[in-house]
């Protein structure tokens, strides 16, 4: 159910940032963590459940988590509402990161 909340937030905010980058209202360096996050988020399921590679999934989710913080810091001076909108995503990924690292640690 959480993804029914998070995906619309991601679609609206990421889309907004990419449009602003295309319009040159923000630098592509501001959009970079959004792009990295999107790719890392999309490949997590394949790594975790397709490849069943727990260590690589742990690295990937750490990339997802750290890029959320990077995104929030990068966009804050330009569009604070986008940064604030990432809070639920950050909370969920923080919980998922602890879970992933715990599962990886227990299966090492």
């Amino acid at each position: 159910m959480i993804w029914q909340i998070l995906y619309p937030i991601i679609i609206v905010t990421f889309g907004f940032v990419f449009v602003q980058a295309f319009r040159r209202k923000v630098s592509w360096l501001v959009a970079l963590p959004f792009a990295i996050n999107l790719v890392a988020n999309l490949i997590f399921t394949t790594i975790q459940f397709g490849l069943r590679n727990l260590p690589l999934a742990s690295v990937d989710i750490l990339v997802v988590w750290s890029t959320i913080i990077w995104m929030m810091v990068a966009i804050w001076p330009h569009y604070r509402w986008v940064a604030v909108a990432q809070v639920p995503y950050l909370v969920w990924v923080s919980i998922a990161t602890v879970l992933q690292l715990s599962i990886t640690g227990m299966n090492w």
Side-chain angles (χ1 to χ4, degrees):
M1 178 164 161
I2 189 68
W3 288 107
Q4 292 174 332
I5 297 167
L6 294 180
Y7 278 139
I9 292 169
I10 290 169
I11 290 166
V12 169
T13 58
F14 283 44
F16 178 81
V17 170
F18 293 137
V19 166
Q20 297 312 309
F22 276 113
R23 291 181 175 171
R24 299 177 190 233
K25 294 196 177 192
V26 297
S27 163
W28 278 104
L29 289 176
V30 172
L32 180 63
F34 289 84
I36 295 169
N37 181 276
L38 187 60
V39 171
N41 188 345
L42 291 173
I43 65 172
F44 176 79
T45 302
T46 302
I47 295 168
Q48 175 73 2
F49 301 109
L51 298 176
R52 297 179 188 219
N53 187 328
L54 295 175
L56 186 56
S58 292
V59 170
D60 183 74
I61 202 159
L62 286 169
V63 170
V64 173
W65 183 80
S66 62
T67 54
I68 295 170
I69 295 169
W70 181 14
M71 291 173 354
M72 293 171 77
V73 170
I75 200 66
W76 181 263
H78 307 282
Y79 300 101
R80 291 183 177 170
W81 71 269
V82 174
V84 172
Q86 303 311 311
V87 171
Y89 185 29
L90 178 62
V91 169
W92 177 252
V93 172
S94 295
I95 294 166
T97 300
V98 170
L99 180 60
Q100 178 63 42
L101 295 176
S102 298
I103 291 169
T104 302
M106 288 187 280
N107 288 284
W108 194 256

